[in-house]
Amino acid sequence: MATPQNRLHKWLIGGPPLAYLVVFFAIPVLIMVLASLRNSGDFGGLAPLFSEESGTLDLTTENYGRFFSDLIYTELFLKSFAYAAITTLVCLVIAYPLAMLIARSAKKHRDLLVLLVILPFWSNFLIRVYAWMIILGPQSVFVSALNRVLGTIGIEPVTLLYTPFAVIVGLVYVHLPFMVLPLYANLEKHDPALLDAAQDLGANAWRRFWRVTFPLSLPGVYAGAALVFIPALGIFAIPDILGGTEGIMIGNVIKQQFLDTRDWPFGSVLSMVLTVMAVALAGLAAWVARQSRT
Amino acid sequence: MIRRSRGLWAAAIFAYVFLYAPLVIVVAYSFNDSRLNAEWVGFTFAWYGKLFHNEKMLQAAWNSLLIGVTASVVSTVFGTMAGYAMYRFKMRLLPLLILAPIAIPEILMGVSLLIFFVLLNISLGMISIILSHIAFCIGFVAIVVRSRLAGMDESLTEAARDLGATPWMAFRLVTLPLIMPGVVAGALMAFTLSIDDFVITFFTAGVGSTTLPLQIYTMVKIAVTPEVNAVSTLLMMLTLALILIASKLAPGSLRAQ
């Protein structure tokens, strides 16, 4: 098949999009990798790549050194990890019964029920976060009702907006469909005969779930966890809008480094660490999924 | 097959309420005759009226539209080419570059494009936003188009070639019409993604290139007002309409996300 004409066609068709993605994706990312090794400029941004005094490339690993020596950043990553982990867990708890119900409902209803899960996901991301500003805000009917209830049992009124709690709620809300879909895709394939067999052998509903359904659904759980955890880790808009000063995550600090402090090299270091972790986790998830399949 | 259905139903209904209640609340308050998103006072269209007199909002909507149309047209052309190339030829680098922008944290793409544009002295504004949107939309179009191609009967193109059509004619007259629903669905998807994008736009926008999501962000950071609810409601309606059209044209393409 590899005739010269064929090769010409290949580059004529594949070349332009490839070139576009190289210029506007691969090169910017490589520049950022390089930026993480450069000195900060006198007025923010980057220092010149070639040092005028020595005439050599002016590169440094100092930025990485700063990341690993200052525990604030390690703490920040751990905190973001914790937020993403709690989000993943809550998503799993909410999504599992829903996915199970969809998988066990009549075939003709399944597509509609799945569509109903995807639909809110297509509305603007900011709108979905903003909605929680209304629900958790100080004027909210929901919060005042909650506080009235708490008041009757003698608990101080609570503030929900601009807290880590609000961040988790926002993260769960935005990522929930990513947990439901892989779970559903997995649960749908289960053979109902297995549950019948377990029942005939005397297993109650609880036992049937933990010994049959759940172990079989683990690939779906892993896929969902990866699809929720990884994006949740790098998000900055949700903590920015719902989190206040307490609830910031790694994404907020990256944004800060680029737009406020204008320390690009260090911002690049943080982005690099985040990306390496995300890619490593994705790789791990793929590996675990492959292991559990065999 | 009814197993533990009551508990399951309760949990599932809770999940659906959790998914929809916030959006319903946003829409409902957009018709509430009160500055506060609290008690229901009365029905009004006033917030929509105000919206159409808000210069900044109209400018942002226009910018979003311009960016969305340009980015979706260009990314549809490139995405279709990429999808076709990946289907027909053995490409090594292309699939990686198609998937990577979708897989990596969005913020990485945003900040790396920011550095890129600033270093190249491309001023941040409409052009830089459009160039960035094209970059992240190509992959989505390519995936939709490729899945459409994979479902196509290969013998049709071969028949055209046997009957003497040049590769270009075979593509233009046989393949393209067959994959057209996928192409259109990809274009609508690209338009929706572009109109909705916040993170990458946030980093690549400059003065005077505020888009709708950026405008909403600015307003939300200052205060919660029913005007935000009104613009959000309109944006939701637009997205919903586009998605319905896309799903009519290429059933199943929505799951590519």
Side-chain angles (χ1 to χ4, degrees):
Chain A
M1 276 279 279
T3 60
Q5 198 203 13
N6 223 308
R7 195 168 308 156
L8 178 72
H9 285 154
K10 174 175 163 176
W11 293 116
L12 228 49
I13 300 164
L18 183 69
Y20 193 93
L21 288 170
V22 166
V23 173
F24 290 103
F25 175 71
I27 290 177
V29 170
L30 290 177
I31 289 178
M32 213 197 62
V33 176
L34 197 63
S36 71
L37 294 168
R38 286 168 68 172
N39 288 306
S40 191
D42 296 336
F43 307 101
L46 300 170
L49 184 54
F50 288 97
S51 148
E52 278 173 23
E53 293 126 49
S54 59
T56 52
L57 276 175
D58 189 15
L59 294 177
T60 172
T61 54
E62 213 174 276
N63 306 307
Y64 285 93
R66 185 173 146 205
F67 174 79
F68 289 108
S69 63
D70 197 339
L71 281 180
I72 290 180
Y73 300 105
T74 314
E75 248 172 61
L76 192 69
F77 263 93
L78 287 178
K79 190 172 146 193
S80 302
F81 260 83
Y83 279 16
I86 296 170
T87 302
T88 309
L89 216 63
V90 177
C91 278
L92 182 65
V93 170
I94 299 177
Y96 209 105
L98 181 59
M100 217 151 98
L101 179 94
I102 300 175
R104 289 180 185 181
S105 55
K107 253 208 170 80
K108 56 181 177 181
H109 296 144
R110 281 184 207 164
D111 278 348
L112 179 68
L113 290 170
V114 169
L115 184 71
L116 283 174
V117 174
I118 306 174
L119 213 54
F121 164 83
W122 280 102
S123 67
N124 187 285
F125 170 79
L126 279 177
I127 298 174
R128 283 177 286 153
V129 180
Y130 165 72
W132 287 100
M133 266 184 103
I134 302 179
I135 299 172
L136 301 176
Q139 306 159 357
S140 146
V141 185
F142 167 74
V143 173
S144 50
L146 176 74
N147 278 332
R148 220 169 297 137
V149 173
L150 289 179
T152 56
I153 51 171
I155 295 175
E156 294 281 304
V158 290
T159 315
L160 296 180
L161 190 59
Y162 307 129
T163 62
F165 171 78
V167 177
I168 303 279
V169 172
L171 286 171
V172 168
Y173 185 60
V174 166
H175 295 101
L176 189 61
F178 293 109
M179 183 63 91
V180 179
L181 297 181
L183 274 179
Y184 161 70
N186 174 285
L187 289 167
E188 196 218 356
K189 286 181 292 194
H190 289 195
D191 186 352
L194 289 171
L195 290 175
D196 292 334
Q199 191 167 20
D200 291 345
L201 292 169
N204 61 21
W206 193 245
R207 235 174 118 82
R208 285 199 299 273
F209 176 76
W210 285 110
R211 302 299 290 272
V212 181
T213 308
F214 190 73
L216 281 174
S217 70
L218 278 176
V221 173
Y222 295 139
L227 286 176
V228 172
F229 189 92
I230 296 168
L233 195 60
I235 219 139
F236 90 90
I238 293 176
D240 203 47
I241 294 172
L242 299 175
T245 44
E246 245 184 286
I248 60 164
M249 292 174 71
I250 193 70
N252 302 76
V253 180
I254 293 177
K255 174 209 150 193
Q256 209 179 30
Q257 294 294 329
F258 276 96
L259 299 182
D260 307 332
T261 327
R262 284 185 52 80
D263 187 344
W264 286 10
F266 195 60
S268 302
V269 168
L270 294 177
S271 314
M272 288 305 301
V273 176
L274 173 69
T275 306
V276 168
M277 283 181 178
V279 171
L281 284 168
L284 182 74
W287 182 78
V288 169
R290 204 169 315 130
Q291 292 297 306
S292 58
R293 211 173 293 149
T294 50
Chain B
M1 261 254 311
I2 301 162
R3 286 175 205 277
R4 283 165 293 146
S5 51
R6 209 173 296 161
L8 212 54
W9 267 105
I13 287 171
F14 168 78
Y16 278 122
V17 169
F18 178 70
L19 280 172
Y20 282 90
L23 300 180
V24 171
I25 286 170
V26 170
V27 174
Y29 277 132
S30 77
F31 297 109
N32 188 13
D33 196 5
S34 158
R35 265 233 143 264
L36 306 172
N37 284 317
E39 251 114 78
W40 181 263
V41 177
F43 187 90
T44 180
F45 276 120
W47 305 115
Y48 290 89
K50 264 194 102 171
L51 213 57
F52 289 104
H53 291 104
N54 185 334
E55 285 291 327
K56 277 185 184 164
M57 194 65 93
L58 292 176
Q59 183 64 46
W62 174 246
N63 288 346
S64 277
L65 191 70
L66 206 63
I67 293 165
V69 169
T70 319
S72 56
V73 168
V74 178
S75 62
T76 302
V77 174
F78 281 154
T80 305
M81 290 164 85
Y84 187 79
M86 287 194 296
Y87 169 74
R88 177 90 4 158
F89 309 105
K90 206 170 142 54
M91 307 292 290
R92 268 197 216 100
L93 193 56
L94 192 59
L96 182 73
L97 287 176
I98 290 290
L99 287 176
I102 301 171
I104 62 162
E106 228 184 339
I107 195 170
L108 177 88
M109 196 158 165
V111 294
S112 64
L113 282 163
L114 168 70
I115 302 183
F116 176 76
F117 288 128
V118 172
L119 288 185
L120 285 185
N121 272 326
I122 297 173
S123 64
L124 297 176
M126 297 291 280
I127 303 287
S128 62
I129 298 176
I130 290 171
L131 290 171
S132 311
H133 282 205
I134 295 169
F136 77 73
C137 287
I138 289 179
F140 289 97
V141 178
I143 290 170
V144 175
V145 168
R146 200 174 77 148
S147 71
R148 177 88 196 176
L149 277 163
M152 201 186 76
D153 188 356
E154 184 64 17
S155 60
L156 292 169
T157 318
E158 278 165 23
R161 295 280 283 128
D162 288 345
L163 292 169
T166 62
W168 169 245
M169 273 167 73
F171 175 78
R172 176 75 193 73
L173 298 172
V174 179
T175 313
L176 190 61
L178 282 171
I179 62 167
M180 207 51 185
V183 174
V184 176
L188 290 172
M189 199 183 216
F191 183 74
T192 316
L193 288 168
S194 165
I195 286 270
D196 271 352
D197 178 73
F198 170 67
V199 175
I200 290 165
T201 315
F202 183 80
F203 287 103
T204 52
V207 182
S209 61
T210 302
T211 62
L212 269 184
L214 290 185
Q215 180 65 27
I216 293 174
Y217 176 76
T218 312
M219 292 174 82
V220 161
K221 284 297 262 183
I222 300 167
V224 171
T225 70
E227 254 183 293
V228 179
N229 296 45
V231 71
S232 302
T233 305
L234 291 178
L235 206 52
M236 270 191 258
M237 297 303 150
L238 176 71
T239 313
L240 190 66
L242 290 171
I243 293 308
L244 288 177
I245 298 169
S247 63
K248 273 264 174 324
L249 288 167
S253 67
L254 294 182
R255 293 201 202 158
Q257 266 265 336

